[in-house]
Amino acid sequence: MPNRACILKQQFLQSVASHWEKLLPEELVQELLANEKITYYQSIYTPIVTLWAMISQVLDPDKSLSQAVKRMSTWPRAAGVKPPSSDTGAYSKARKRLPEKLVQQLVPIVAEALEKQVPREQQWCGRRVRVLDGTTVLMNDK
């Protein structure tokens, strides 16, 4: 019988993550982890499952950890497999274990993949729109 992480990933792919898997394939994440010599122990919250859970958490109106864990435990239950604990500790720890460098490498890859999918007729005045986040820019108040 497949392990719970595999079932969770499969169920997640069949629902919320189907679009994200195309933009953020597991093979790419595994390659980046290997390039950075990052290892992790096998658990239900593998790096890819954790990333997908984080994405779904950000997109959900209820952004709580408990809702994210509840959503992640729904799929194994639907497959007839014992779901992970409803305790948010494991998911929280898995998020902390995700290397910031991995996320930094994935952001431009996902952004580029998303940009390629926008048809010209959906662009603003036929142009690509750029958004800059100025929250990290420091300026003098004078």
Side-chain angles (χ1 to χ4, degrees):
M1 174 167 23
N3 69 31
R4 292 187 313 165
C6 290
I7 291 169
L8 178 63
K9 185 174 15 173
Q10 187 61 34
Q11 294 291 322
F12 193 64
L13 278 173
Q14 291 172 353
S15 59
V16 176
S18 59
H19 300 292
W20 288 104
E21 210 285 329
K22 295 172 190 166
L23 296 170
L24 189 61
E26 183 173 10
E27 297 78 29
L28 172 64
V29 175
Q30 295 296 348
E31 181 182 326
L32 291 173
L33 289 168
N35 289 346
E36 296 297 322
K37 297 178 179 31
I38 298 167
T39 58
Y40 59 94
Y41 59 89
Q42 190 63 29
S43 74
I44 190 126
Y45 292 109
T46 64
I48 193 69
V49 169
T50 304
L51 282 168
W52 289 338
M54 287 173 63
I55 290 168
S56 70
Q57 181 180 3
V58 168
L59 295 176
D60 194 293
D62 180 351
K63 297 182 184 341
S64 67
L65 286 175
S66 59
Q67 178 63 23
V69 169
K70 185 177 179 181
R71 187 173 31 261
M72 297 307 290
S73 67
T74 301
W75 298 301
R77 195 173 286 121
V81 176
K82 182 181 175 199
S85 167
S86 61
D87 180 19
T88 60
Y91 172 56
S92 182
K93 288 175 186 173
R95 286 178 7 151
K96 288 178 185 175
R97 282 193 306 269
L98 273 181
E100 187 176 336
K101 189 170 186 175
L102 174 69
V103 177
Q104 289 172 341
Q105 291 174 334
L106 290 171
V107 167
I109 293 168
V110 171
E112 186 177 320
L114 283 169
E115 187 174 5
K116 287 179 182 178
Q117 293 185 7
V118 177
R120 185 161 174 75
E121 60 271 6
Q122 289 184 355
Q123 295 176 349
W124 182 72
C125 298
R127 296 186 174 125
R128 297 185 317 193
V129 175
R130 301 285 185 189
V131 177
L132 301 175
D133 177 4
T135 58
T136 58
V137 176
L138 298 176
M139 297 180 70
N140 193 345
D141 288 342
K142 294 179 186 178

